[in-house]
Amino acid sequence: EKDASAVVLPGAPLGDRSNMAFATAIVTAGRGAGIVVATGMGTEVGHIAGMLEGDEELDTPIKRKLASFGKILTIVGVAAALAVLAVGLAYGRPFAPLLLLAVSLAISVIPESLPATATITMALGVQRMARHEALVRRLPAVETLGGATVICTDKTGTLTENRMSVVRVSLGPDLDRDEALEPAEALEEHPDLFGYLAFAAVLCNDAAFASAEEGAPGAQAFIGDPTEGALLVLARDNGIDPTALRSTYPRLAERPFDSDRKRMSTVHERDGEIVAAVKGAIDSLLPRCAFIMDENGPRPMTEEDRARALAVAQRLSDEALRVLAFATRALPGVPGDEEDIERDLVLIGLVGMMDPPRPDVRQAVETCRTAGVRTVMITGDHASTARAIGRELDIFRPGDLVVTGAELDEMDDAALDEAARNTSVFARVSPLHKLRIVRALQHAGEVCAMTGDGVNDAPALKAADIGVAMGITGTDVAKDASDMILMDDRFTTIVYAVREGRRVFRNIQKVVSFLVADNVAQIVVLLTAVALNWNAPLTAVMILWVNLATASLPALALGVEPASRHIMEHPPMRVNNLLDGPLARRVIFQGVFIAALALVAFVIGQNAGSYELGCTMAFGVLGFSQVLRSLNQRSATDPVWDREGARNRQLGLAAAASIALMLVVLLAPPFIEAFGGTTMNLGQWALVVGFALLSVVQTEIAKAIGRWRARR
């Protein structure tokens, strides 16, 4: 509400500047005239537009990790190729074959299928999320949510149901209770008094149901003030038809609500007498009450009654409830326009109402906490209301801070960076505050997801690592600035998106470790051969075939691996590279082990027949071991035969197809000769298959050791 005579202190939050109307705001009631003090970019919405223009979009974590990984592979590939050339020339080898070998080695370092696999994995994640009402606008946003460490969320409509609801009722005889009753309890204990309350709540009310079936159970849509709409729902949900009540007791006169009186009154004929129904703020209505409604009718109000009524109102306010008082009065006749009817009133009772939290949000917040993701509520509500809602949803806990917009204005960036670490609720904030909060969290090393629906949220949505706009209530500006849109406006959808993002990242990580282990094996094989002055154990065509034919299909299948049921029990990934320390060591050891097997097979084949046979056996070991290892790359801890009941049919089909491609090359003489190899006998085949199986055994032994260490 706006008041031209209000005096606002300099620096007051936007929500408290009640003597100012802002461009693009929507007038819902009243009339007035104003003086224009700013236009265009000088307005508050102009400032928001300036923040959108000035804020650059940041790279997502997956972009940074893939870029960093690509640089490392490039350096390794160039270094390995130069090493081959240098060592080979030192041995006096011809330059042309050495150059071909060096180029082959450089090719073997690059996992050709990784970019396609990463893109397809994220695209499939987008498809799955769309089925769960999360529409991703930018592909890398899928993985970014998986790495989120903080979710900054608005309250209204996201954590709450975006509708006012009466949750507490305190009638005259109950004012001395420690707690107000729920509406159904009040109706059961005091049916007659509840009827008086419903009479005043429905008739002293300008809202109306918008549904065609106004009395239909579950209908919530109404036209008018949300507070008045909640009073209609209170009556309807407790067996009183608002439409029938208004038809029976038509309005004869009224005193509209205004901000000075803080009351509203209507006049009706009931049972042959003229009565007034009054509602308003407790501090405005109570001084005009001379009586209180009891089970036996009105009785004089005592000072003790007044104190109890004020105490009940304070308790309800402390619970972040909006409190309204209701009263009635018998009149001698229909009053004139200037007659004061709001005196000697009979207090019926009080109601407390709120925008109720969504029932599934508390569990979703707990799931995030278990997953190491902190939930921060950012709202325009007052601190007491925000704190109460945060406490009810378990967002605000003992030791947490509540920071208001006014307090935030007093902080420099360093102070805000420090406060953001322990603040779970930001209240009474402005658009610039939201942007500063996001940047403070990012400075603290957090990967920040930010939700919003209004134009004023757009700068923060754009600056966040991932901006999440509301699909139902969100503005076009907010949606354009976002990375993802929630089609159902539910916080639980964000939690699902976090889970799906983690699945995508884990799968990309599995693909990387799968591909890199084989690339390490090829590098070690070729460098060892050059260092020992051997002929290359693999031809260039063999290297390309292993990289493309036997790696690409299983890699794509690993990209659709089902999520582990424990995926939301681990902390978010906080690494700068796709391969962290332990995983990198495991991948390198696997690569070296496979290289050793391939070199042994090469030596055996060369000694048993010819150089071509040695190349063929090394090629077979590398190709088959890569395909078989894809099966135990599904998990870094669980054995290949036990994957928590999850199935991946695509991986089985991909492995079968890759093995078939290898068999076509190795069994058909024209093909293997074109590859620079030769056919093998049964004993040599058994040796190749046995060596390939040994690579699987090695990985499973490493997993078993890891599980044993974890239990210690």
Side-chain angles (χ1 to χ4, degrees), residues 551-568:
S552 298
L553 291 178
L556 288 171
L558 282 172
V560 297
E561 179 69 18
S564 163
R565 64 170 176 257
H566 303 297
I567 199 165
M568 291 298 283

Side-chain angles (χ1 to χ4, degrees), residues 323-365:
V323 181
L324 279 180
F326 294 86
T328 187
R329 179 192 171 197
L331 301 174
V334 178
D337 291 341
E338 302 300 325
E339 185 177 342
D340 182 11
I341 63 174
E342 295 171 346
R343 58 183 176 82
D344 299 328
L345 299 173
V346 181
L347 179 67
I348 302 172
L350 291 76
V351 302
M353 57 183 66
M354 69 183 302
D355 182 5
R358 292 183 184 270
D360 49 1
V361 167
R362 186 181 177 94
Q363 180 58 49
V365 170

Side-chain angles (χ1 to χ4, degrees), residues 433-458:
H433 293 150
K434 294 181 180 182
L435 184 59
R436 287 190 65 199
I437 291 166
V438 167
R439 286 176 171 165
L441 291 168
Q442 290 172 331
H443 291 161
E446 307 282 8
V447 177
C448 182
M450 172 75 191
T451 72
D453 56 2
V455 174
N456 60 342
D457 295 322

Side-chain angles (χ1 to χ4, degrees), residues 391-436:
R391 185 180 292 114
E392 183 171 350
L393 294 175
D394 203 29
I395 293 173
F396 178 83
R397 287 185 164 190
D400 289 353
L401 300 177
V402 177
V403 174
T404 65
E407 293 169 339
L408 199 149
D409 283 333
E410 299 297 321
M411 299 179 183
D412 58 18
D413 289 343
L416 179 57
D417 291 352
E418 183 62 31
R421 301 176 189 273
N422 301 307
T423 302
S424 59
V425 175
F426 289 93
R428 217 62 180 155
V429 296
S430 72
L432 180 59
H433 293 150
K434 294 181 180 182
L435 184 59
R436 287 190 65 199

Side-chain angles (χ1 to χ4, degrees), residues 591-612:
V592 171
F593 185 80
I594 296 168
L597 294 175
L599 286 169
V600 171
F602 172 71
V603 172
I604 292 173
Q606 188 170 243
N607 292 339
S610 63
Y611 166 71
E612 289 76 12

